[in-house]
Amino acid sequence: MSNLGLYQWMTKTAKKVGGPVQFMSIIGGCGITIGAAGTKIFDAYKDKREKKNIMEKQYTVSTEMVSDDLVMKKGDQFKVLERTKHGILIEKVDDGNNPYFVDTNLLRKCSDFQ
C-alpha cells in the first residue's frame, strides 16, 4: 500500500493546468472565493437574526412623546415592524390607528429602544 496517492494526484493535476504555480493559484483562488461566500452568508444570517430579535421584543416608553399623529405616554408599549435608515415603522400596543413611522433618534430618547 502506498502513501503517495495524494502526491500523485497533485502532480498529475498540476501538469494538466500548466504547472505548480498555476495549480497553487487555482487552489488559492478557490479558497478566497469560498471564504468570501462564507463571510457573506454569515453576515446575512447575523443581520436576519439581529432583525428578528429587535422585532420580537416589546419596548416601553419612559417619557412622553408626540410625533405628528402619534402620542405616546409613559408606560405605553410598542413593537418594531420594520427598520429603515430613515426611521422605524412601529405598532403601538392597544391602538387601532397602527402603524406609525417614527424617527429612530426620537424612539431612543423616549423609550428603552436601542
Side-chain angles (χ1 to χ4, degrees), residues 2-51:
S2 173
N3 62 357
L4 298 175
L6 180 61
Y7 176 75
Q8 287 176 337
W9 175 83
M10 287 174 46
T11 54
K12 284 181 183 179
T13 307
K15 285 181 183 179
K16 288 180 182 177
V17 297
V21 173
Q22 289 83 355
F23 179 67
M24 294 307 289
S25 297
I26 291 170
I27 297 291
C30 290
I32 290 171
T33 303
I34 290 170
T39 302
K40 285 187 179 184
I41 291 169
F42 178 75
D43 288 345
Y45 172 75
K46 183 179 169 187
D47 290 344
K48 186 176 180 180
R49 185 174 173 178
E50 198 172 278
K51 183 178 179 182

Side-chain angles (χ1 to χ4, degrees), residues 87-105:
I88 297 179
L89 188 66
I90 66 167
E91 175 186 342
K92 186 177 173 185
V93 176
D94 297 329
D95 187 2
N97 195 24
N98 284 317
Y100 298 99
F101 193 74
V102 185
D103 181 54
T104 307
N105 293 327

Side-chain angles (χ1 to χ4, degrees), residues 26-87:
I26 291 170
I27 297 291
C30 290
I32 290 171
T33 303
I34 290 170
T39 302
K40 285 187 179 184
I41 291 169
F42 178 75
D43 288 345
Y45 172 75
K46 183 179 169 187
D47 290 344
K48 186 176 180 180
R49 185 174 173 178
E50 198 172 278
K51 183 178 179 182
K52 183 179 177 186
N53 289 341
I54 288 173
M55 296 173 94
E56 287 180 348
K57 185 176 178 188
Q58 279 192 357
Y59 300 94
T60 305
V61 177
S62 56
T63 58
E64 290 189 14
M65 186 240 342
V66 177
S67 175
D68 296 332
D69 59 340
L70 172 64
V71 176
M72 295 184 79
K73 298 176 183 168
K74 185 175 180 177
D76 285 347
Q77 293 187 329
F78 64 92
K79 296 178 186 177
V80 175
L81 299 176
E82 189 67 38
R83 190 173 191 174
T84 66
K85 62 182 177 179
H86 301 294

